[in-house]
Amino acid sequence: RARTSHAHVFITMASWCTAADKAALAASGLAEAAVSVLCQSHESADRRMLSDEVTLAGLASANNTIFLLFATALVFFMQSGFAMLCAGSIRAKNVKNILLKNVLDAAVGAIFWYLFGYGIAFGVPGDGNSNRFMGEADFALGISAVGPSGGNDWIWFLFQWSFAAAAATITSGAMAERTQFAAYLGYSALLTGFVYPTVVHWAWGGGWLSSVPWKKEDGDKSLAYHDFAGSGVVHMVGGFSGLMGAIMVGPRTGRFDAQGRPIAMPGHNAALVVLGTFILWVGWYGFNCGSQGSATSAADAVAIGRVGITTTLAASAGGVTSLFLNYALYKVWDLIAVCNGVLGGLVSITAGCAVLDIYMALFAGFIGAFVLFGSSKLLLKLRIDDPLEAFPVHGACGMWGVLAVGLFAKEKYLGDENNDRYGALMGGNGRLFGVQLLGCVAIILWTCGILGPFFFVLKQAGLLRTSAEEEAAGLDESKHGGSAYNNA
């Protein structure tokens, strides 16, 4: 709007110095030289104003690109955190296998996000009529040197790819130590190329969750599902994918005894678990703060700072709560429980980091620790083996994070102060909670409905699980040329 205003000023000032106007000025007694200088000074000043505005706009665009590129780097660095966390949480004989899967999540994910995922998530046809179920344009970025939106979406493509890679990697932990390598590659391609981007389109790409209709009352016609950085879109998709995979592939040999009681299979390196946790925590600032999507105004700066604080407090509350919860029950100061609690707190705040009050971030992380603990015990009760607690951390805590928005979102942060469509426990009418619950149900049905049958078909074809001999020897020795650790 500012550029339009300044352009209008330029036209007005330039037209003031027409030949007739110059004659009128001369007739008023001004010397010809004075008239010329006067008109020239007006025109030059306005040209400078317009030039300054164009320059500022360019600087704002460049600054925003740098901001999103930095956020992308932080989110992509989370792959290192996932790699260290996964490696430390499993037995030494399978480290190479899970690290290779982590690397290929990024590489395979990039290819399928480019070919299909980005178009399904954000593609809008040339006529501007967006499909409410999935995108239908910009596949392979339009196979164009110009790119979508005249090239403006290059950085957005990269930023969103880093999220897709994170969603895919979540599942590797749930299926660790007994899954065939080729089966995992197929899963990674399917998730990043179709399953995940469809959910992205629903919530962030103009799909049906971004405008859920209600009965017309007081002029209200629709309400948007709110998931600022992806508790549902990213973490529930990854977590429930992992749950389907863990169910279909079955538990590791020896994980449960004949009576169904769990037998401990601790990871081989707690130091790697802690390193991975800290790397993920650092990367989460790119995940949550970067989801502001812009850093060009004072309002953006305030929002980014507040999101950083809510992210920090939720992680801290999750870790500390898990520490004392495990000590109260088992009289052990459990390091791994604290690390998972931190991650559970981070997932719990990801949806609401921009719309919950600061103090509510502590509550989100606190409840997230109990959700993590309860869902973990439920899996063991059901004899579902999830070596990294990927479903409890990402699936269960992700669902809690989405629902927490419906309960505790503050009206002024939603930008909806003229009606009561905000957190139900903050004085809202419950509609937002209803939409958040609907979003959770849709994500669960879609993810499980696609990946459950996918893993089942692989299982029936004998392509999902490694042989008992390979599992006993370790996947590194049987599939990847030897151990990850050379102690010679």
Side-chain angles (χ1 to χ4, degrees), residues 305-323:
R306 182 162 46 79
V307 166
I309 293 173
T310 56
T311 300
T312 302
L313 292 179
S316 303
V320 172
T321 303
S322 293
L323 174 70

Side-chain angles (χ1 to χ4, degrees), residues 119-136:
I120 291 173
F122 297 105
V124 178
D127 61 10
N129 295 320
S130 176
N131 185 317
R132 285 172 62 80
F133 188 77
M134 66 175 61
E136 48 186 340

Side-chain angles (χ1 to χ4, degrees), residues 18 27 53 102 119 127 237 267 306 400 430 456 480:
T18 61
E53 175 62 22
N102 274 261
D127 61 10
V237 169
R306 182 162 46 79
W400 155 241
F456 178 77
H480 303 294

Side-chain angles (χ1 to χ4, degrees), residues 17-52:
C17 289
T18 61
D21 292 331
K22 288 180 180 180
L25 288 171
S28 69
L30 286 176
E32 181 178 350
V35 172
S36 177
V37 170
L38 179 62
C39 290
Q40 183 180 9
S41 66
H42 277 301
E43 187 171 336
S44 298
D46 190 67
R47 286 186 183 276
R48 286 195 299 271
M49 289 171 62
L50 183 59
S51 176
D52 288 346

Side-chain angles (χ1 to χ4, degrees), residues 430-472:
R431 287 185 184 178
L432 179 60
F433 181 81
V435 171
Q436 298 298 104
L437 181 60
L438 175 64
C440 288
V441 172
I443 290 170
I444 292 169
L445 292 177
W446 173 254
T447 304
C448 297
I450 299 294
L451 288 168
F454 174 76
F455 287 128
F456 178 77
V457 169
L458 290 177
K459 180 180 180 179
Q460 295 303 110
L463 299 174
L464 184 59
R465 186 172 181 130
T466 60
S467 68
E469 294 77 16
E470 290 171 343
E471 185 181 352

Side-chain angles (χ1 to χ4, degrees), residues 290-352:
S291 292
Q292 179 68 16
S294 174
T296 57
S297 70
D300 287 336
V302 171
I304 290 167
R306 182 162 46 79
V307 166
I309 293 173
T310 56
T311 300
T312 302
L313 292 179
S316 303
V320 172
T321 303
S322 293
L323 174 70
F324 286 104
L325 178 60
N326 277 268
Y327 184 79
L329 294 173
Y330 307 117
K331 304 304 178 187
V332 174
W333 301 109
D334 192 330
L335 171 64
I336 305 304
V338 173
C339 290
N340 282 337
V342 166
L343 298 178
L346 287 166
V347 173
S348 298
I349 197 60
T350 297

